[in-house]
Amino acid sequence: MTLLDFARGPGLQWSVAIFVFGLLWRLVGIFFLRTKPDLSEPRNPAKWKGLRLIALRSWPRKEFLEGTAFGEVMGYTFHLGFLVALFFYVPHLLFFESVFEGLLGTDFEGIFGFRWPVLPTAAITFLSAVSVAALVAVLIHRITNPVKRLISNFDDYFSWLLTVAPLATGLLAYAHAGGIRYETLLGTHILSAEVLLVWFPFSKLIHAFTIFAARGATGMIFERKGASL
Amino acid sequence: MSAPNQDIDQKFPLELNEPRFSVKDPKVRFDMQGDMSDEQRVETAMRNFVKDFGRTAAIYMESCIHCGMCAEACHFHEVTKDPRYTPIWKLEPFKQAYKREYGPFALFFRLFNLKPKVTHAQLAEWQHLLYDSCTVCGRCSLMCPMGIDIATLISQARHGMFHAGLVPHELYAVAERAKREGSPLGATPKVFADRVDWLADDHEVDIPIDRDKAEVLCTMSSIEIMKYPDSVVATARVMNHLGVDWTFRTDGYEATNFGLLSGNAAWQKQMTMKLVDAAIACGAKTLILPECGHAYQALRWMGANMNGKPLPFRVLHMAEFLAENVREGRLRLKKVGKSVTFHDPCQVARRGGAIEAPREVLAALGVELREMFPTKGTNWCCGGGGGVVAIHRADKLRHKVFQIKMDQIEKTGAEIPVTSCANCRQTFDDGQAHFKWDKTMHSLLEMVADNLIEDDA
C-alpha cells in the first residue's frame, strides 16, 4: 500500500471516525451539563437570543481596535484563506463529491440542484500563500508578544503546525516541488489534513464550534440585563 | 503542611477603624485563613470552583484560543504592561484544574499527566491576580472575540479561593465582619439607627425608619452610612420631596455584599436575604438600592436566584429611580449650569445595563455633559471595585490604575466629575488625596438633592 493509498483509504476512514467521535464526546460533555434558570426580572426580553452578540463580537469595538487590529486582520486572513482553499478548489470539490456520492449515491448537484462554485486555481494558490504568510506572522507574534508568549501552551503551537501543514503541503503538491513524486506529495497533503482532523476535537480548534455557543450564551445573559454587548 | 497565618492580625494589624487613607506602606504578603494542609486547600479551591459549574461556564472554559486580546481591555495590564495581568491568565490554575479534573477529556489529561496538578504555591501566587489586580469590572468580557465572560469566571474562582482560605486578609476580615455584625464598616443596626436619628436632627429632615408598612424600602451602603452620611440625608430629601411612602429598616438596610466580593456564596445569600425579607416584611413594592455598584449586581441580577424564586418587588438603582421620576415629570430640578463628566460604575453600567438613567438625570439638571473617551459600557474602571479598594497591599497598583481615570477626566475639561457609586467615589477620594488632584468626585444623588425645586408654583 502506497502512502497515497493509505491516505485515501484507512487514513481517511480512521481520521474521520476519530474526528466525529471526539467531537461528539467533547460537545456532549459540555452541552449536556445542567444550566440554572435565571429568575431575575429581565430588563429586556431576549428577543435576539444572543444573536446580536454573535454578530457584534465578530469585530472589536472602536475603543479596542488599536490594540487588536493585528490579531483581527491576521486571524480573518488565515481563516478565510484556509476555508476558501478548502471549499472552493476544484480537486477538493471533486474529493467531497466523491465522498458524497459514496455515502448518498448522488453528487452535490443531485441533492441541492446547483453545482458548488469554485475559484480559479491561481486565486486558490494566491490565497493559500497569503494564509501561510498570515499564519507565520501570527506565530511570530505569539512568540514575540509578552502576553501571548506567557499564555501559550503546547496546544497553541501544535494546532498552529497542523493548521499550516495542509496549506503548505497543498502548495508544494501543486508546485510539484523538490523533485518528489507527485503521488507522495499528494499523499502527504491528504495525510496532513487527516492529522488535523484527528487533533481537532481534542484541541483549541474546537473553538470553531464553541465560539457561537460562548458568544450566544453571553449574549443571552447580557441582553437580559441590558448590559453592554 | 504550611503554617496558617493565624497571627496575621498581629503581624499586619488591620486598621479597619482608621480613616481608609491613613494606611501607608502596605506589606507584601500571602494571606491564609483556617488550618488546612496545602493539598486540602488546593482540593477545596477546585471543588468550590466547579461547584456551580454549569453549561455556560464549561463552554467558556473550552473556548479560549489564547489570543491575548483581553489584556488590551484590562486597566492593570494597560498601566503596567505586565503580561501576568492578562485577564484569562488570572484563571490559569483553574483552567488547568478544569482540564485535568472535570473537562470531557479529564481522564486522558490525568492518565498521561498532560496537565499537571495545581499546587498550593500556584494558588498563593494567584491570590494577587484574582483579588489585588482584578476589579471584576468585566471590560475584558467585552473584548473577548470568543464571547467568554471572563469576569464571571473570576468570581467563580474567588469562590474556590475563599473556601480554601486564600483571601486577602482585609477582604476576609470585612466580609466576616459584615456577616457577623451586618455591615463591613461597623454600621450595625444600632449604629445605623443612631446615625439616622442624628442626621434627621442635624439636617432637619424627616427620615422614617422601621415603619411596619411602606411602598418603598430604601437601602444604603455602609460606605455612605459611615463616610458619606450626606447621601442618607439626600435619599430622605428626594423621597420626601416626591411624597413617596417610604422607610429605612434596621433589619434590611445594608446593601453592600462582601459575600459576593470575597467569594462566599453562603454569606452572599445571607446578606441578600436580609434585604429581601425586610422588603417583604414591610410590603414594599419597590426596593431602591443606593449608589453602589456591586450592590446592584448582588440584588438586581442575583437576588432572585439567591431567593430561589422571583422577587415580589421591583429593584431599582437610585439612578434608575431618579431617572424614572424625571421621565414622568415628578422630579423637577434646578439647572446647575456647569460642565460635568460622568464616571460609569462598572457593575451598574457595563454589567448592569443602567447606562442611560444617570444621563437622563444629568440632562434634567441642565449640565453640559462632556463624555469621557471611552465612555458608557467601555468606560475604564476606577480601580477600586471588586473589593480591591479594601486590600491595602494593592494600593500602589491601584494608584497606577487611577491615573487612567485622571487622564480621562482631565481630557474632558469638565468642571465636575459625577458618579453613582459610593465605592467609586471612595476610590476617587483616595486617588485625589494621593495625587493631590484638584478634582473631587460628586454623587449624582446628592447633586439632585441639592437642586430640588421645592416650590411647585
Side-chain angles (χ1 to χ4, degrees):
Chain A
M1 185 185 278
T2 65
L3 184 70
L4 186 57
D5 288 339
F6 174 78
R8 283 177 162 161
L12 180 65
Q13 288 158 4
W14 276 103
S15 61
V16 170
I18 293 170
F19 172 75
V20 171
F21 179 75
L23 195 64
L24 286 176
W25 183 286
R26 189 160 175 188
L27 293 181
V28 166
I30 304 166
F31 290 109
F32 272 52
L33 287 173
R34 69 194 161 77
T35 182
K36 283 185 185 169
D38 188 346
L39 302 171
S40 62
E41 177 70 28
R43 185 190 305 279
N44 300 319
K47 59 179 177 177
W48 293 99
K49 305 288 180 204
L51 288 172
R52 267 188 75 206
L53 193 137
I54 292 177
L56 285 172
R57 209 54 73 83
S58 300
W59 193 250
R61 289 160 166 269
K62 64 178 186 302
E63 296 92 332
F64 297 146
L65 198 52
E66 193 185 323
T68 58
F70 175 83
E72 292 282 352
V73 170
M74 290 301 150
Y76 269 107
T77 304
F78 83 73
H79 276 92
L80 287 175
F82 190 99
L83 291 174
V84 169
L86 178 61
F87 291 114
F88 298 99
Y89 182 41
V90 175
H92 292 168
L93 176 70
L94 293 172
F95 173 76
F96 292 138
E97 283 199 331
S98 71
V99 174
F100 253 71
E101 277 195 61
L103 288 172
L104 304 171
T106 176
D107 63 6
F108 185 86
E109 196 172 1
I111 299 166
F112 295 104
F114 65 94
R115 201 165 163 74
W116 189 261
V118 289
L119 284 174
T121 303
I124 296 293
T125 309
F126 174 75
L127 285 171
S128 300
V130 169
S131 273
V132 171
L135 276 161
V136 170
V138 163
L139 179 67
I140 292 170
H141 194 241
R142 189 169 285 286
I143 294 166
T144 54
N145 179 278
V147 166
K148 287 176 87 169
R149 194 170 57 233
L150 176 72
I151 65 177
S152 296
N153 57 21
F154 175 78
D155 187 0
D156 296 305
Y157 293 108
F158 197 59
S159 294
W160 178 91
L161 183 68
L162 296 191
T163 306
V164 84
L167 286 164
T169 55
L171 285 168
L172 290 175
Y174 172 69
H176 293 247
I180 304 167
R181 282 183 65 225
Y182 176 71
E183 286 74 12
T184 307
L185 284 170
L186 185 60
T188 309
H189 174 58
I190 297 173
L191 267 180
S192 71
E194 290 166 359
V195 176
L196 179 66
L197 272 182
V198 169
W199 177 245
F200 192 109
F202 307 99
S203 66
K204 66 184 270 189
L205 299 173
I206 195 78
H207 77 266
F209 292 88
T210 57
I211 183 173
F212 302 108
R215 285 185 186 176
T218 301
M220 298 262 275
I221 298 165
F222 284 17
E223 267 180 45
R224 185 185 173 85
K225 295 180 177 181
S228 297
L229 300 178
Chain B
M1 181 170 162
S2 64
N5 276 11
Q6 285 166 334
D7 60 345
I8 191 160
D9 285 352
Q10 284 74 48
K11 281 201 292 187
F12 307 104
L14 296 175
E15 300 172 70
L16 296 174
N17 293 320
E18 295 300 310
R20 169 66 189 88
F21 316 123
S22 69
V23 181
K24 301 294 177 200
D25 190 25
K27 304 287 187 295
V28 174
R29 54 173 213 257
F30 294 124
D31 296 354
M32 282 187 278
Q33 297 84 29
D35 191 4
M36 274 187 255
S37 69
D38 290 355
E39 290 73 26
Q40 280 172 327
R41 284 189 198 276
V42 173
E43 197 273 324
T44 307
M46 295 313 156
R47 188 164 25 86
N48 282 282
F49 174 59
V50 294
K51 195 173 155 200
D52 294 316
F53 224 76
R55 185 191 308 151
T56 304
I59 292 169
Y60 291 159
M61 295 303 270
E62 300 281 350
S63 298
C64 180
I65 52 166
H66 292 169
C67 68
M69 288 186 189
C70 50
E72 300 294 329
C74 178
H75 40 334
F76 291 98
H77 177 264
E78 174 73 11
V79 294
T80 62
K81 299 299 174 196
D82 184 340
R84 291 181 312 142
Y85 296 140
T86 303
I88 201 69
W89 183 250
K90 296 173 186 174
L91 289 161
E92 185 62 18
F94 292 89
K95 279 170 69 192
Q96 194 178 319
Y98 167 81
K99 295 254 176 187
R100 186 186 162 91
E101 311 291 344
Y102 309 104
F105 295 124
L107 180 67
F108 300 104
F109 280 104
R110 275 201 305 273
L111 201 61
F112 302 110
N113 201 29
L114 299 173
K115 290 277 178 198
K117 273 192 102 161
V118 174
T119 64
H120 176 262
Q122 257 179 303
L123 288 186
E125 188 185 343
W126 255 261
Q127 188 185 90
H128 171 73
L129 300 180
L130 285 166
Y131 287 100
D132 303 23
S133 58
C134 180
T135 53
V136 203
C137 77
R139 207 163 181 268
C140 51
S141 303
L142 277 193
M143 164 69 92
C144 177
M146 293 295 117
I148 301 169
D149 184 6
I150 302 169
T152 289
L153 293 176
I154 296 271
S155 295
Q156 214 139 341
R158 284 184 172 197
H159 287 180
M161 294 291 277
F162 187 94
H163 289 280
L166 291 169
V167 183
H169 207 69
E170 294 97 338
L171 199 51
Y172 176 82
V174 289
E176 194 277 332
R177 191 177 185 186
K179 184 231 169 207
R180 185 166 30 84
E181 294 185 351
S183 163
L185 298 180
T188 62
K190 183 176 182 321
V191 169
F192 178 60
D194 287 349
R195 287 220 148 202
V196 164
D197 196 32
W198 157 61
L199 288 165
D201 274 356
D202 221 38
H203 293 265
E204 294 177 356
V205 60
D206 182 30
I207 309 182
I209 190 162
D210 284 335
R211 290 180 58 206
D212 289 339
K213 292 285 166 204
E215 292 275 309
V216 173
L217 174 65
C218 287
T219 59
M220 298 306 299
S221 79
S222 50
I223 301 172
E224 290 166 313
I225 298 166
M226 303 306 280
K227 294 178 179 173
Y228 304 118
D230 282 356
S231 284
V232 180
V233 178
T235 301
R237 286 219 166 110
V238 169
M239 293 297 152
N240 296 343
H241 174 81
L242 292 168
V244 174
D245 172 25
W246 75 286
T247 188
F248 282 130
R249 282 181 67 101
T250 50
D251 56 353
Y253 60 94
E254 172 60 89
T256 62
N257 195 316
F258 273 73
L260 169 66
L261 292 183
S262 61
N264 185 319
W267 291 0
Q268 180 185 343
K269 182 173 182 177
Q270 188 186 337
M271 292 167 196
T272 294
M273 290 312 294
K274 277 190 184 176
L275 298 182
V276 173
D277 292 342
I280 292 171
C282 69
K285 292 192 174 68
T286 305
L287 185 148
I288 298 176
L289 290 167
E291 293 191 305
C292 176
H294 81 267
Y296 187 65
Q297 205 60 234
L299 193 69
R300 174 66 179 89
W301 296 117
M302 297 174 161
N305 298 326
M306 289 283 154
N307 188 39
K309 54 189 175 200
L311 299 177
F313 48 85
R314 287 198 312 159
V315 178
L316 293 177
H317 183 270
M318 178 55 84
E320 290 178 299
F321 174 77
L322 296 174
E324 196 174 274
N325 281 281
V326 164
R327 221 175 292 136
E328 290 167 9
R330 286 193 292 269
L331 189 60
R332 290 172 54 234
L333 301 167
K334 293 178 213 157
K335 303 297 174 199
V336 173
K338 291 199 169 171
S339 58
V340 161
T341 190
F342 185 75
H343 166 71
D344 296 274
C346 309
Q347 302 303 328
V348 181
R350 173 165 39 249
R351 294 182 71 73
I355 296 172
E356 295 304 327
R359 288 171 173 80
E360 288 179 53
V361 179
L362 287 170
L365 282 162
V367 300
E368 180 203 344
L369 180 61
R370 297 188 185 177
E371 294 283 8
M372 302 176 201
F373 181 82
T375 187
K376 300 184 179 178
T378 49
N379 208 331
W380 288 103
C381 169
C382 65
V388 173
V389 76
I391 305 168
H392 297 164
R393 68 182 180 193
D395 283 0
K396 215 172 191 173
L397 185 58
R398 182 168 56 77
H399 286 143
K400 273 190 187 173
V401 163
F402 187 71
Q403 292 179 70
I404 297 179
K405 269 334 301 186
M406 291 202 299
D407 185 51
Q408 263 189 303
I409 289 175
E410 288 295 348
K411 279 181 178 156
T412 67
E415 292 163 274
I416 307 172
V418 177
T419 193
S420 54
C421 170
N423 194 58
C424 295
R425 192 177 172 192
Q426 174 181 225
T427 305
F428 271 87
D429 282 357
D430 177 49
Q432 181 185 6
H434 180 80
F435 289 104
K436 299 181 174 49
W437 194 31
D438 63 352
K439 294 275 192 301
T440 303
M441 181 50 76
H442 287 68
S443 143
L444 180 69
L445 167 66
E446 288 176 27
M447 193 178 251
V448 166
D450 289 343
N451 291 285
L452 297 168
I453 298 177
E454 296 290 356
D455 182 7
D456 270 344

